[in-house]
Amino acid sequence: MTVAEIFDTMEYGPAPESTTAAERWLEERGRAFGPFIDGAFRPAGTETFDTVNPADEKPLARITQCGEADVNAAVAAARRAQPGWWALGGHGRARHLYALARQVQKNSRLLAVLETLDNGKPIRETRDIDVPLVARHFYYHAGCAQLMERELPGAVPLGVAGQIIPWNFPLLMLAWKIAPALAMGNTVVLKPAEFTPLTGLLFAELCRDVGLPPGVVNIVTGDGRTGEALVRHPDVDKIAFTGSTDVGRIIRRATAGSGKKLSLELGGKSPFLVFDDADLDGAVEGIVDAIWFNQGEVCCAGSRLLVQEGVAERMAEKLRARMETLRMGNPADKAVDLGALVAPVQLERVTRLVQQGVDEGGTMWQPSWSCPREGYFFPPTLFTDVSPTATIAQEEIFGPVLAAITFRTPDEAVALANNTRYGLAASIWTENVNLALHVASRVVAGTVWINSTNLFDAASGFGGYRESGFGREGGKEGLWEYVRADWDAARHETAGSEKPAPEAPTTTPEADEEATPGALPTIDRTTKMYVGGKQARPDGGYSRPVLGPGGLRVGEVGEGNRKDVRNAVEAARKAAGSWGRAAAHLRAQILYYVAENLAARRGELARRLDSMTGAGAGPSEREVDLSIERFFTYAAWADKYAGTVQATPRRNFTFAVHEPIGTLAILCPDDWPLLAFVSTVAPALAMGNAVVAVPSERHPLAATDLYQVFDTSDVPAGVVNIVTGSRDELGQVLARHDDIDCLWHFGSRDEGARVEEASAGNLKRTWCDLGLPRDWSDPDQGAGEDLLRRAIQVKNIWTPFGE
Ligand code: NAI
């Protein structure tokens, strides 16, 4: 064969990476592993399972199915180790994380080969992507530990983190979980996926070798049962999970009301948009990376190709030609593009969904070469003529399957891109920078890559919108998942002894009348709801009394029901888009205007507060003054809490943009009835959300007095909606409503638990204060940065540059 022929055909022989060292490592350990607890490996347990090489179906090692006793021991070890780990200080922890980063680099070959053997992914990917990113993650977070005291003043660790990871990036997901947790002073118990536990166990050895204090990192192995034991363990303070949306939902329910902080990184169906002016050859290489990297077993895989009609056919031709040249085979071969799927169950799932794609009318194409006979291989697959509602266009396949759909206009492209319950990532290909950034701002996704795809870095947070979960990993925003404010930690510690949150009045109207014998009848004035900028009568026609001190009836408010909530949510949804896109300066101006109009009614509002709470004139006036100040605070923040440019290591501007979440439900506490309402609604508005608020159940009238203030302050209709009534009942309806994107709840622990449980439906973000005391007049507790943080979601937009 001549050199020219070789160049033309790209025929070349195998270039296998040696697996000898990895096999020796397994042999030396008797191919049997127990969990790693308190700095030492325990012997393999009585119940074990095999982990198998997906490329040849041969068992690699026997792994312990850890039970409750192991999980208990691991959590206990982590708990014991945590105070000492935190006491080391930022620099001390940085030294350990730095040592781990170095150790990962020194063992990179062994880690890469072991990962390939256990997972079936090509060595080229483990060697060049997974392991370098793991080292980078530990280096970056060594820096976070070093700077913690300075950069996150007042932040303290949560305690013990339970971390559950999937099989598609076993070592990388371990790094994403462990590095930030440790940097912030937490200790961890991590459960790798049952299909791919080996690199986690090797990592445990590295921890031991670098002298990480015992108990700081614990690894328990096993399937979902082990994960469940960890999730339910009462002494775990935080659960971080990456995996399927279904299990994410189970975990949301299992942790409801427990006070465990939760982050979920779930599935996706990410769009890959190609406009007709794109560099098509570049886009084809992008697609190879988007959907055939890691055999498509990637949560952010660009599995939906949205291509502009004019170039669709050319694009498909180029793709088919490129697919012909992809090489599939032994993952340890350095010349291989695609390895094996992780397990038979995954192969069956992909096969089934592909068949469904054919049955539903898609045109399927696969390259002419055939897959290896041994192992769980599935060929790269392209579907064209796919209907946007087809199963393969909606379901996460988690395999090498691309579904192509055409569009005509940018608006149509955005609509199709967002036609999914997920929101993890998107990739946009066009030479037109205006179009690229316009579409990037419209696509609902946590990460957007322009003319690129699958770029990851520790400095840039990663995580989803909608049913792709909540919370971020990486970047500064990822650190917040593992800390809380010192005052918050203090109240959690005393939670056992704290008074339960006051319950709403149980006084019936009859009892009320008894309580006020001889009182003159008041002029009937039932406060209505505030929906879409108008006052609305309660749908059910019922009202509830508002009682002042001594049971005196001071007014009535409408008893909101499901229909009132539905109307309010509809109004909020309608208003959210333009309010979210309005200039921050405009939102600030409106909030200042609200403050101005509030100030004009200071005396009246103070009297109203006093009539309900009996706090006295002075304290009531102070509450109104603080409320005015809060509007100033959040008007000030509206155009300042705007995001950053992340220092990612390639030629990139990576913009971490703060976007509104959308429609936010706020269930207000009874304490500080006006101030708490303002302190929660104002940051939500400042950050561009539309709000459905349920004011204090006991003292709702101060909030309902704001209708006229909102009306006269140019607050657009539907941006603030107020429904009065039972917080518990309305909370349930709001938590279940698919058009509410996020919910804040300030009420008792039981109520909070019910709300969190009900929120699992569309996996909305929740923030439940679980009846813990909060002093709303304190600037840290009532106007801290965390309120802003909870009112936004971070979208990272990667924009590479260069010729
Ligand atoms: P999975 O969600 O069941 O597994 C992920 C992890 O959760 C594993 O460590 C597993 O042992 C653990 N787990 C399972 N049930 C649990 C429970 N009740 N409580 C606590 N932990 C539990 O994912 P699976 O079954 O391996 O894959 C099924 C599908 O999920 C895939 O086809 C894919 O579509 C999706 N998936 C998405 C991932 C992502 O990164 N977004 C990763 C893995 C799977």
Side-chain angles (χ1 to χ4, degrees), residues 258-270:
S258 67
K260 287 176 186 142
K261 199 160 179 171
L262 180 62
S263 48
L264 299 174
E265 202 268 270
L266 309 174
K269 193 73 190 174
S270 299

Side-chain angles (χ1 to χ4, degrees), residues 164-168 191-195 222-224 227-228 231 241-244 247 250-251 265-267 299 346 349 396-398:
I164 297 165
I165 58 172
W167 40 259
N168 53 345
K191 191 199 84 65
E194 52 273 40
F195 297 128
D223 60 17
E228 196 183 335
V231 165
F241 171 77
T242 300
S244 61
V247 173
I250 292 172
I251 292 177
E265 202 268 270
L266 309 174
C299 50
Q346 197 58 22
R349 177 186 164 90
E396 182 176 48
I397 299 176
F398 231 59

